Amino acid sequence: MLLLQATSGYGQGLTPVQSSDLSAALPPGQWAQIDSSVDRGLQWLAENQRQDGQMPGDEAAQPAITSFATMAFLSRGHMPGQGQYGATIHRAIDYVLDTQNRSGLFTAMRPIKLDRQMSPSQTAIYNHFISGVMLGEVYGMVRGQRSAKVKLALEDALVFARGIQTRKTKDPTEQGGWRYVMPASGGTSDLSVTGWGLMFLRSARNAEFDVPKEYIDEALDFIETCHVADPDHQQDGVFGYRGSHTKDGRVTRANTGSGMLSLVLGGRFRHPAIDAGAKWYRRTRYPAATDTEPRFYLATYYSSQAIAQVGGETWNRVFPQIARSLLGAQTPAGNWPTGRRNEARLGPCFTTSLSILSLTPAYQLLPIYQR
């Protein structure tokens, strides 16, 4: 297994929350099991890729699903155009690029109206940001005409993202965040979307695109409002879906992982919410994939990446539980079964990609998540 020591970073000379060797969480034999599990998952993804490069799943969640799969290959050290999966990754990148429309938005389905959950008007912004993160990661890995296309696509995507970020909001505390594409949600923000927006800006800035620090700070200011400091509300985590001034708190594991990860990647790694979240993770049993927790795979992805940034006792205590849960859920074919509720319709390419990304933080190969 390729394991790297924790490094100082986040691209700005900042130090990790806790410095540690992430390999200490498991003995060598169990890391070998993870290596094998990840490799079988990647083989399954490659075998199920469509001719146009898409990793199949709900069209309303494209190209995000394909972008997640691409990052799963990168997280194991596979490179575009090189080796066993080089052509697979190239096709996936090209598919994502082809979904960008004239406004700069990445989405396979055109958003028309904000009418229901999982409609393109809701999912398009997720598609946009997740695709932007992936393209920011591969920008330094691709060459020639493909590199030029990625550069132009990211520049247009950043303009689109900034346009939504600077819209007029109903409440000043929601300024700097993002929510959905359609005007009906233009005056509000939420942590789920804003976390991805922050990661997109961070990835693009790492790739040396022009992303002023104030753009990131504005997003972080909103994310801070989603921290729930009241211990009475820490049964389900320490971050809510919306700002603390709203009635739409929805404190969850997914929001807690997203909030912690966003603060660390944005450089606010000394915020008290990170320590509070780490303590919450340490005292909470991590659920199995067969439990009824909604958005299990997304929550596990956020959680694994967040606790890897924290490191130390939190990582050593929680990651083995995550690994046990995921290894036990993988099918003999190599994929992970579909999740529950909204995750059920996203398909096994989604769950398989997020499972791989949840198992590979210790590899330290995706630049956006390097400590």
Side-chain angles (χ1 to χ4, degrees):
M1 174 187 177
L2 178 58
L3 279 172
L4 300 183
Q5 297 284 339
T7 59
S8 63
Y10 318 122
Q12 297 296 319
L14 304 175
T15 56
V17 179
Q18 297 179 27
S19 179
S20 69
D21 179 355
L22 297 178
S23 67
L26 295 172
Q30 291 183 30
W31 282 120
Q33 292 178 26
I34 288 177
D35 292 346
S36 175
S37 172
V38 168
D39 290 341
R40 289 190 295 118
L42 292 175
Q43 181 178 354
W44 184 90
L45 285 172
E47 290 172 351
N48 282 271
Q49 186 182 36
R50 291 179 179 168
Q51 193 63 35
D52 65 355
Q54 177 186 163
M55 297 292 180
D58 189 336
E59 191 176 6
Q62 293 287 6
I65 293 173
T66 300
S67 296
F68 276 134
T70 305
M71 288 190 285
F73 285 103
L74 302 180
S75 76
R76 183 62 166 133
H78 298 287
M79 300 281 285
Q82 300 179 29
Q84 180 181 5
Y85 297 120
T88 300
I89 298 170
H90 267 171
R91 287 194 299 271
I93 293 170
D94 292 344
Y95 168 76
V96 172
L97 290 171
D98 286 344
T99 66
Q100 189 175 36
N101 64 33
R102 292 181 180 179
S103 71
L105 174 67
F106 291 107
T107 181
M109 297 180 69
R110 179 170 172 259
I112 299 174
K113 62 180 180 177
L114 190 61
D115 56 356
R116 56 183 172 81
Q117 276 200 326
M118 296 299 292
S119 69
S121 56
Q122 183 196 47
T123 58
I125 195 67
Y126 287 100
N127 288 320
H128 184 73
F129 286 142
I130 294 165
S131 299
V133 172
M134 183 277 288
L135 292 173
E137 299 303 280
V138 303
Y139 177 60
M141 306 177 188
V142 292
R143 299 290 181 266
Q145 186 178 12
R146 188 173 282 107
S147 176
K149 287 183 177 180
V150 171
K151 181 176 185 293
L152 290 174
L154 283 171
E155 289 173 343
D156 289 345
L158 286 166
V159 171
F160 180 88
R162 184 59 178 169
I164 297 181
Q165 189 182 24
T166 55
R167 76 213 182 285
K168 185 177 180 180
T169 59
K170 296 177 180 179
D171 188 296
T173 63
E174 303 206 45
Q175 195 69 46
W178 291 272
R179 204 171 188 196
Y180 306 142
V181 172
M182 303 306 292
S185 65
T188 58
S189 299
D190 72 57
L191 174 59
S192 180
V193 175
T194 302
W196 282 112
L198 183 283
M199 283 188 269
F200 171 42
L201 297 184
R202 179 76 268 179
S203 177
R205 185 177 168 110
N206 288 350
E208 300 186 352
F209 284 81
D210 182 17
V211 180
K213 183 176 180 292
E214 57 263 34
Y215 295 7
I216 294 174
D217 286 339
E218 289 169 10
L220 289 169
D221 288 344
F222 168 72
I223 289 170
E224 286 187 352
T225 72
C226 299
H227 173 221
V228 179
D230 184 352
D232 292 338
H233 295 281
Q234 289 186 9
Q235 179 179 351
D236 300 313
V238 302
F239 275 91
Y241 176 65
R242 300 278 308 284
S244 56
H245 67 284
T246 73
K247 296 180 180 179
D248 194 5
R250 278 189 274 177
V251 178
T252 65
R253 189 182 309 274
N255 288 324
T256 296
S258 175
M260 292 172 62
L261 181 62
S262 297
L263 290 175
V264 174
L265 294 182
R268 296 187 186 179
F269 52 88
R270 291 187 176 89
H271 192 283
I274 297 174
D275 183 58
K279 291 178 180 177
W280 177 81
Y281 273 109
R282 290 197 300 271
R283 70 170 186 261
T284 306
R285 180 191 70 85
Y286 206 87
T290 53
D291 289 350
T292 58
E293 180 164 332
R295 298 178 178 85
F296 168 83
Y297 290 99
L298 188 62
T300 300
Y301 162 80
Y302 284 136
S303 299
S304 184
Q305 297 294 345
I307 63 171
Q309 293 296 326
V310 172
E313 180 188 358
T314 306
W315 169 261
N316 291 338
R317 183 179 298 185
V318 181
F319 180 72
Q321 298 179 55
I322 290 175
R324 188 181 311 115
S325 178
L326 290 176
L327 293 180
Q330 189 175 22
T331 73
N335 67 293
W336 273 264
T338 54
R340 298 172 181 271
R341 300 186 187 179
N342 283 351
E343 284 189 335
R345 63 185 291 179
L346 297 176
C349 284
F350 172 81
T351 52
T352 300
S353 299
L354 287 187
S355 296
I356 291 169
L357 289 168
S358 300
L359 289 170
T360 54
Y363 296 176
Q364 288 287 279
L365 292 173
L366 273 173
I368 184 68
Y369 298 128
Q370 288 176 354
R371 301 174 73 243

